[in-house]
Amino acid sequence: MKEKKILQFDLLGAFICREIGDGQIKNSVVPKKAGKKVLSFLQYLIVNHARNISAEELIGQFWPEANSSDPANALKNMIFKVRSLLKLMFPEQKSLILTLQGCYAWNPSVRLQLDCEEFEQVCLEARKRSGKDYLEILLRALSLYKGDFLSGNDSDWAVSLRRYYQTLYLDICKMVLPLLQEQERWTEMISICEQASAVDFGTDTFIVYQMQALISMGHPERAVETYQTFREMLWEEFEIEPAEHVEQIHVLADSMCQNNMDSLDILKLVAEGEGENHAFFCTFGVFQSIVALEKRHLERSGHSSSLVVVSLGNKVTPTTDARRLERVLLEGLRTGDPVARLDASSYILMLTGASEENARTVMERIDRMFHKAYSHSRACITFRVTSLDAGHIQVS
């Protein structure tokens, strides 16, 4: 019996085609002149190669009623174009797409192999494994994922499948990282975390493992840089701060950077600081620690300080007005006053040694500074003052 020809299609990453038969592998080139819709149509047929595809399904997918006056004729023209394209890609193959009654199918004389199907199969197999070969099959799955599914195809059907394969890939990454950590395979961990973050940078699991690996390799400064990039991107995209456990690892890495200095350098750093001439911007977790220390100080001194929550109104330009307010707070407050972000349009700050009356005066000055600098802004700044003293907190 004559062996079937095999057509291989790589859909994860670059769209690559090859023909296997008679002990030879022939790479096939997709013509550059192939139209975007024709290529998407061909890719849809490839992905669904295991079944007959009805004309109604293809029309519904590529020619919604509102967009075509004669979808049946459009389908016939598209089939002709796809067959011509396949002839250019695989000149030795004949009649790859068959017309059946009311549907279309691949010629059973050829067998299609898809890298995404192999990837999916290995991922599913990995969930059933345990023991020594568990890690190896996980790494095998990761090696098959060379990029997002049909990254150049923005059709709805391709986007939904892209998300599915991304989810499979990210799950495998989460499964393999703790195993690599146990074996102290730091370089592999960093590589996997970087690739996974490129797919979904907002997942803190990967930043945590990457920072831990860098710290373990003796590169805390790179861990700090990684954290700073993650924090900036997280705020830019979602307007949120990193989770507390990410902050804790950052504090560890930062402290290790300080520990690499000799004692004289550390004393100079503590005594001189960075010479900043504006308020101290920090995360909410750090802000809480500063407030706790201030309360201890107030117990000894008997003085009082003030906490203030300052917010923008509803008629604001998202992100823009928040950044403006942040800039005014940092420039308008004293260098010892800590400021932290609460959400996309509000901040909390502590005015050390300021009474409630003084705090109100300060915030009225901040309000004037904001509207003088940004006279066209529609933001309406409101604030709420809390008196912080040794015994309790009074809100007014």
Side-chain angles (χ1 to χ4, degrees), residues 118-265:
E118 183 183 2
F119 170 70
E120 181 182 33
Q121 185 60 39
V122 176
C123 288
L124 297 176
E125 182 67 23
R127 299 176 186 276
K128 304 175 185 177
R129 297 292 186 93
S130 61
K132 296 181 180 179
D133 61 345
Y134 180 50
L135 175 58
E136 295 307 315
I137 195 168
L138 290 175
L139 293 174
R140 164 68 177 156
L142 292 184
S143 69
L144 291 170
Y145 194 90
K146 295 180 173 61
D148 286 341
F149 176 84
L150 294 177
S151 56
N153 190 333
D154 57 2
S155 302
D156 290 343
W157 70 267
V159 171
S160 61
L161 281 174
R162 186 175 306 140
R163 289 171 182 159
Y164 168 70
Y165 288 115
Q166 285 177 339
T167 300
L168 283 181
Y169 169 71
L170 295 173
D171 286 346
I172 293 295
C173 289
K174 293 173 184 177
M175 294 161 68
V176 79
L177 285 169
L179 301 178
L180 293 176
Q181 188 176 48
E182 289 177 5
Q183 298 185 13
E184 300 183 359
R185 295 163 67 169
W186 311 122
T187 303
E188 290 173 82
M189 284 179 61
I190 293 170
S191 177
I192 290 171
C193 288
E194 289 176 343
Q195 294 171 22
S197 295
V199 176
D200 182 12
F201 79 86
T203 301
D204 54 25
T205 299
F206 307 122
I207 196 71
V208 166
Y209 277 111
Q210 185 174 355
M211 291 171 67
Q212 288 174 336
L214 288 168
I215 291 171
S216 298
M217 293 178 69
H219 301 301
E221 69 287 344
R222 287 179 57 192
V224 171
E225 292 173 2
T226 299
Y227 162 83
Q228 290 171 343
T229 301
F230 173 73
R231 183 174 181 269
E232 290 172 3
M233 292 178 65
L234 200 63
W235 178 256
E236 196 67 31
E237 184 71 20
F238 304 114
E239 295 188 342
I240 59 175
E241 296 286 358
E244 190 64 30
H245 61 284
V246 179
E247 296 287 356
Q248 291 171 354
I249 298 175
H250 168 244
V251 170
L252 172 62
D254 199 38
S255 65
M256 290 180 68
C257 290
Q258 310 304 332
N259 289 338
N260 288 334
M261 302 179 180
D262 60 33
S263 57
L264 182 59
D265 288 334

Side-chain angles (χ1 to χ4, degrees), residues 4 105 192 350:
K4 286 185 178 182
I192 290 171
M350 182 172 70

